[in-house]
Amino acid sequence: QKEVEQDPGPLSVPEGAIVSLNCTYSNSAFQYFMWYRQYSRKGPELLMYTYSSGNKEDGRFTAQVDKSSKYISLFIRDSQPSDSATYLCAMLYGNKLVFGAGTILRVKS
Amino acid sequence: EAGVTQFPSHSVIEKGQTVTLRCDPISGHDNLYWYRRVMGKEIKFLLHFVKESKQDESGMPNNRFLAERTGGTYSTLKVQPAELEDSGVYFCASRDGRTAKNIQYFGAGTRLSVL
């Protein structure tokens, strides 16, 4: 069993839709949770960084963590074609990041 | 401020050859990481430097891989001899250890193709 499970998609939505991306994890030692966005031929770019259970909002992006269920989510409101990318959840274990497989998101105009 | 830079961006070599990847971290970042993504798999940790010292090399697949960070600035990752299963994208990341948050900034990666 993988430590972090993430549906690879692809997920295709119309412009303006609300997007929900999710990851589950098995290791209770994970304490910090991140979402990275990766465009084609580019490196992962940090979007959100959270620690505690609950919600954290930044513009159109909301990160949600439920430690009791070992489940994290990223919501994108008013999605734009420029949001089309691969979204990676990542969890900090010691000093290293443990990544999900990434979800490919396509926002159609 | 320049980000993490990696080169080459793409390398195509034959099985048995040697390849050296280079990473220049963000200026002043003392922590440097190597990760790898092979086809169809998730990005996986390889190793972690603090300045010139290896802190954790638990992710290095075998002794064909050698990472160095002489002088605590740029780092190289050498694969010798390369095998077909080494193909993938190799990412470098850096972090400022003086900050409380463990935020790692990634380079664009080196795409390695072993034929």
Side-chain angles (χ1 to χ4, degrees):
Chain A
Q1 184 189 6
K2 292 181 183 178
E3 286 189 283
V4 180
E5 296 280 357
Q6 182 177 11
D7 187 337
L11 179 63
S12 187
V13 301
E15 183 175 356
I18 296 174
V19 175
S20 172
L21 305 167
N22 312 292
C23 288
T24 58
Y25 62 95
S26 56
N27 191 340
S28 299
F30 294 150
Q31 293 296 314
Y32 293 87
F33 307 90
M34 281 144 270
W35 286 95
Y36 281 83
R37 177 177 62 195
Q38 186 179 17
Y39 292 113
S40 181
R41 305 288 176 169
K42 302 288 186 183
E45 169 196 13
L46 183 67
L47 275 180
M48 301 289 282
Y49 181 101
T50 56
Y51 171 71
S52 56
S53 285
N55 293 351
K56 181 178 180 180
E57 190 173 315
D58 184 1
R60 296 185 295 111
F61 299 90
T62 299
Q64 191 174 79
V65 174
D66 182 347
K67 288 187 177 181
S68 62
S69 300
K70 298 189 179 70
Y71 187 88
I72 69 170
S73 299
L74 178 70
F75 298 96
I76 307 174
R77 290 183 299 281
D78 187 26
S79 56
Q80 303 295 309
S82 58
D83 295 328
S84 297
T86 297
Y87 289 80
L88 302 151
C89 63
M91 306 183 188
L92 192 63
Y93 185 61
N95 264 296
K96 61 187 176 189
L97 292 173
V98 180
F99 284 90
T103 299
I104 298 170
L105 172 65
R106 295 177 184 146
V107 181
K108 300 172 292 186
S109 57
Chain B
E1 178 183 281
V4 177
T5 55
Q6 293 186 246
F7 50 93
S9 57
H10 192 187
S11 180
V12 181
I13 61 172
E14 292 189 352
K15 176 183 171 180
Q17 290 186 321
T18 297
V19 63
T20 300
L21 315 180
R22 173 168 168 149
C23 169
D24 284 71
I26 293 171
S27 179
H29 282 196
D30 50 353
N31 284 256
L32 187 148
Y33 306 80
W34 284 98
Y35 292 84
R36 174 175 79 166
R37 183 171 195 157
V38 296
M39 181 74 75
K41 302 283 188 181
E42 58 275 11
I43 297 172
K44 284 197 179 274
F45 168 84
L46 294 178
L47 87 159
H48 170 213
F49 283 100
V50 177
K51 297 183 181 176
E52 66 274 10
S53 299
K54 293 176 187 175
Q55 292 296 294
D56 181 355
E57 49 185 330
S58 60
M60 295 287 264
N62 50 61
N63 59 11
R64 295 185 294 104
F65 289 76
L66 175 63
E68 294 181 320
R69 194 183 181 198
T70 307
T73 54
Y74 71 91
S75 175
T76 58
L77 180 64
K78 181 192 289 188
V79 185
Q80 178 183 30
E83 298 288 347
L84 299 179
E85 64 265 24
D86 301 331
S87 295
V89 183
Y90 290 76
F91 292 104
C92 175
S94 73
R95 175 175 77 89
D96 185 348
R98 296 167 296 179
T99 62
K101 286 187 177 181
N102 192 320
I103 295 178
Q104 299 179 23
Y105 298 87
F106 282 79
T110 294
R111 185 172 300 270
L112 175 64
S113 300
V114 183
L115 307 179

